[in-house]
Amino acid sequence: LALTEREYAALMQCATTTGNARIMNRILSDLAEDVLVPSHDTTRVIAEWFSSPHATIADGHATEGTHSTTQSDYQLPVSDAPDMGPIQVQGTGWVATSACTVDTETGILTSGCLKGSSLHPVALSDVQWDEMKNMNETIVKNGMLENDKSMYQGGGKGKKRHLSKQHGGVEKRQSNWEQFEDYLNQRQHFDIVIDGANVGYYKQNFANAPKHVDYRQIDLLLQKFRSENKTMLLVMHERHFNPKLMPSWAVPIVESWNSVLYRTPSGMNDDWFWLHAALWSGRQTRVVTNDEMRDHYFQMLAPRSFLRWKERHQIHFHFEFKNGQREVELMYPDRYSRRIQRVATNGLVVPLPKRGDEHRYLDGSHVASDDHPEEETYLCIRPK
């Protein structure tokens, strides 16, 4: 059963009411993995625990709460979430400050009770990394994962269809995938993997826009990375190179991509190719795309890992004109993870919503309202 943020909040509220530290610790730990930036309501519930008498251990004894079953009499389901404890402290209790600011260049908190403490990046474990890679490969080859309830089509575009009707079925898909793996195995590492279609279609939905991608836009991005001596893989579907679609002026541009371009075959979703290439290439590889990958998220049975991978490895982009020339601007991942995490000695930080936040809830997309601040701030909690 996958919990939504609202259910996490309700469970933490119950734990605070009953004084159940074991449940509170477990739910807070799971929440930190599933929801990168919780809502104000959820943050308020977290703060209520630390201001409650149950968060303080008196005379060397933890509070048992008002529930009739002792906290050691039942088994909790297994979880791979890192422990966010301790959530109880001896004697003195906790201090909390809200709207704490951070230096976004360094990740050092600049105000509040944890001022001077550093936020840190939270990486996937080797097990989680391999799990994501294997899941992606299974989705592409077989069309779905076992027990998958997603409406999205694995490896192909759009809603699910029977594989036998798609360009040769499973056998053809597996053959195409093996060719891609052979291609990767002839290479060593990529600094950058590029979702070519996403770059090429950027701001191309204006009236009378051409049906093809903006090849010059893609080339501008490649030139930027070449100037930085980055090793690259550009992934694009083969339809973008159909002579009936591609204008003649784009031919020499595309020919200059031969050393970095991989054309994905008909009937298969190019997104899964660049995702796999990035996972195959390793932890130092970044992906350039503005695609929020909603279909990928709901297909995978490891949404925790997927959200955290995105946070650490996705580069967003936009194009703008400066001094009469079009330039590409890149937004790299922060030096630290904007998520619930432990810092310093038993300090806890909870990121607060800011304007423009997206995809914070497990049960759908959410965009913070205009009354949220633009500045990145945190709730900070530490022992007194």
Side-chain angles (χ1 to χ4, degrees):
L1 176 65
L3 301 182
T4 69
E5 183 179 358
R6 294 181 181 88
E7 290 162 338
Y8 278 124
L11 287 169
M12 289 190 293
Q13 206 157 30
C14 289
T16 301
T17 300
T18 61
N20 193 320
R22 186 167 170 233
I23 292 293
M24 182 65 192
N25 188 84
R26 169 59 184 277
I27 297 302
L28 178 60
S29 300
D30 284 349
L31 174 75
E33 287 291 281
D34 281 352
V35 181
L36 296 180
V37 182
S39 68
H40 277 306
D41 288 343
T42 303
T43 301
R44 175 183 51 78
V45 172
I46 295 171
E48 286 174 355
W49 168 267
F50 287 96
S51 64
S52 76
H54 310 301
T56 302
I57 302 173
D59 301 323
H61 298 286
T63 58
E64 286 294 331
T66 58
H67 48 85
S68 59
T69 304
T70 63
Q71 297 179 15
S72 58
D73 284 346
Y74 53 85
Q75 291 273 337
L76 293 175
V78 176
S79 173
D80 59 355
D83 191 347
M84 284 292 113
I87 61 165
Q88 292 179 304
V89 70
Q90 185 81 35
T92 57
W94 301 81
V95 60
T97 50
S98 189
C100 302
T101 53
V102 62
D103 182 337
T104 56
E105 295 295 322
T106 64
I108 297 175
L109 292 163
T110 55
S111 67
C113 63
L114 289 170
K115 181 179 178 180
S117 299
S118 295
L119 304 179
H120 54 84
V122 181
L124 295 178
S125 69
D126 291 340
V127 171
Q128 290 169 326
W129 191 277
D130 289 340
E131 181 183 41
M132 273 192 61
K133 187 166 61 173
N134 293 335
M135 279 187 178
N136 182 63
E137 186 171 359
T138 300
I139 291 169
V140 175
K141 283 184 170 181
N142 300 332
M144 65 183 71
L145 291 168
E146 186 178 357
N147 299 322
D148 170 45
K149 304 301 182 183
S150 165
M151 69 177 183
Y152 292 101
Q153 175 64 37
K157 293 287 188 181
K159 300 291 183 66
K160 286 181 178 174
R161 301 176 297 274
H162 196 278
L163 286 180
S164 63
K165 299 178 182 179
Q166 295 185 57
H167 303 275
V170 173
E171 294 80 9
K172 182 61 175 177
R173 288 157 60 95
Q174 292 179 347
S175 174
N176 288 333
W177 191 251
E178 288 170 3
Q179 292 178 32
F180 180 56
E181 289 186 316
D182 289 342
Y183 174 87
L184 292 178
N185 290 329
Q186 294 171 24
R187 286 145 181 85
Q188 294 184 343
H189 168 78
F190 305 110
D191 297 317
I192 303 292
V193 175
I194 300 169
D195 177 4
N198 187 260
V199 176
Y201 281 127
Y202 179 75
K203 291 195 174 179
Q204 297 298 298
N205 58 348
F206 53 87
N208 300 318
K211 294 182 179 180
H212 58 75
V213 296
D214 188 332
Y215 299 92
R216 293 190 180 97
Q217 201 158 262
I218 299 169
D219 195 55
L220 189 62
L221 181 68
L222 292 174
Q223 290 178 36
K224 180 175 180 61
F225 286 125
R226 284 196 181 105
S227 70
E228 298 173 357
N229 295 317
K230 301 292 188 183
T231 56
M232 298 173 288
L233 175 65
L234 172 64
V235 177
M236 296 182 69
H237 196 277
E238 65 180 5
R239 69 177 178 275
H240 297 297
F241 310 102
N242 187 318
K244 295 181 180 180
L245 179 66
M246 186 174 68
S248 58
W249 58 259
V251 173
I253 295 176
V254 170
E255 287 177 348
S256 72
W257 302 347
N258 285 341
S259 63
V260 299
L261 174 64
Y262 189 86
R263 306 184 188 199
T264 64
S266 179
M268 298 187 74
N269 187 342
D270 50 310
D271 292 355
W272 294 102
F273 284 78
W274 57 252
L275 176 60
H276 184 76
L279 293 168
W280 171 89
S281 187
R283 295 179 181 273
Q284 301 306 311
T285 300
R286 299 291 181 265
V287 171
V288 180
T289 182
N290 287 339
D291 186 351
E292 292 303 334
M293 299 173 263
R294 296 180 185 90
D295 50 343
H296 309 64
Y297 173 88
F298 288 109
Q299 278 247 33
M300 287 196 169
L301 299 185
R304 293 174 169 176
S305 300
F306 189 65
L307 281 177
R308 286 171 55 192
W309 174 83
K310 271 183 58 180
E311 186 220 14
R312 301 310 313 153
H313 295 273
Q314 183 176 5
I315 300 174
H316 292 84
F317 67 89
H318 71 268
F319 293 89
E320 61 183 16
F321 279 90
K322 289 184 178 180
N323 301 320
Q325 291 186 324
R326 186 163 54 170
E327 296 183 4
V328 59
E329 294 288 331
L330 300 174
M331 287 71 77
Y332 283 83
D334 291 331
R335 293 168 59 100
Y336 56 90
S337 295
R338 184 172 169 242
R339 53 160 286 163
I340 301 171
Q341 59 177 276
R342 282 290 180 182
V343 301
T345 303
N346 296 335
L348 180 72
V349 295
V350 181
L352 301 176
K354 66 176 184 177
R355 197 173 307 170
D357 274 343
E358 295 182 353
H359 318 301
R360 296 188 293 107
Y361 290 99
L362 283 183
D363 50 358
S365 174
H366 175 84
V367 178
S369 63
D370 288 342
D371 59 357
H372 285 100
E374 292 183 0
E375 188 177 23
E376 183 175 325
T377 56
Y378 291 81
L379 169 68
C380 293
I381 304 169
R382 65 164 175 80
K384 289 182 179 177

